Amino acid sequence: MYTAAGGKPEEAPHAAQRYLFVTNDRDEALRAADGARYIRRIALSMRNQYARVHGAWLEEVAASDEPPLDVTADRLIVGDAERCAAKLAEEITALRPTHISCFMAIPGIEPKRILESMERFGGEVMPLLTKHFGGFDRVGAAEPRSASAAAAA
């Protein structure tokens, strides 16, 4: 919590970053999860200083605590439009981010399929989210108070 201009505690604005891939094919969803897992493995190996370098390449090293690939896929926002919208709506409601950054160019997925997923996100997922929330004007961190409400506090 932080203190706003009126001295009252409010939620601090924050953003979320998520992998997102729209597909009706479970095998393709697993490939997307594998690409996201690859990035996590590389990042963790560098952060925790156990990375192995081969020329210009970092070796992919499995993390000791990582779940099986199907569990990773179930935790990510990958799947059909309805599943992606439902997971995003759940996270937006729970976390109330002011912004969401979606990683859509996932390693191991063909560029054509990435573009198709992006098009499906705009054409199928966003309308479902708009319907769910009734628009996005009230989504996010604590709503800013009007000047008169702030002055009265």
Side-chain angles (χ1 to χ4, degrees), residues 18-25 27-33 76-81 83-84 102-106 109-118 120-121 125:
R18 299 291 278 140
Y19 287 98
L20 191 145
F21 189 75
V22 185
T23 180
N24 291 353
D25 183 326
D27 288 338
E28 191 171 51
L30 290 172
R31 282 195 303 279
L76 295 174
I77 303 172
V78 297
D80 63 34
R83 181 181 190 287
C84 290
C102 296
F103 293 116
M104 296 181 172
I106 299 173
I109 303 293
E110 295 177 20
K112 179 182 180 208
R113 290 295 303 125
I114 290 168
L115 291 174
E116 289 169 0
S117 170
M118 289 176 171
R120 289 190 65 191
F121 177 77
V125 176

Side-chain angles (χ1 to χ4, degrees), residues 8-85:
K8 300 221 177 191
E10 295 183 6
E11 282 184 35
H14 61 280
Q17 287 188 316
R18 299 291 278 140
Y19 287 98
L20 191 145
F21 189 75
V22 185
T23 180
N24 291 353
D25 183 326
R26 179 65 178 172
D27 288 338
E28 191 171 51
L30 290 172
R31 282 195 303 279
D34 187 48
R37 181 176 66 177
Y38 166 78
I39 295 298
R40 180 180 187 269
R41 285 174 170 177
I42 296 300
L44 283 176
S45 71
M46 289 187 297
R47 182 181 308 135
N48 296 326
Q49 300 179 351
Y50 61 83
R52 296 182 215 142
V53 180
H54 298 283
W57 301 100
L58 286 170
E59 181 180 327
E60 182 179 1
V61 179
S64 61
D65 63 343
E66 73 183 25
L69 185 59
D70 60 328
V71 173
T72 299
D74 291 339
R75 291 178 180 172
L76 295 174
I77 303 172
V78 297
D80 63 34
E82 292 78 15
R83 181 181 190 287
C84 290

Side-chain angles (χ1 to χ4, degrees), residues 125-139:
V125 176
M126 287 301 294
L128 291 170
L129 290 171
T130 301
K131 182 178 179 183
H132 177 84
F133 288 109
F136 290 101
D137 57 332
R138 288 188 232 133
V139 175

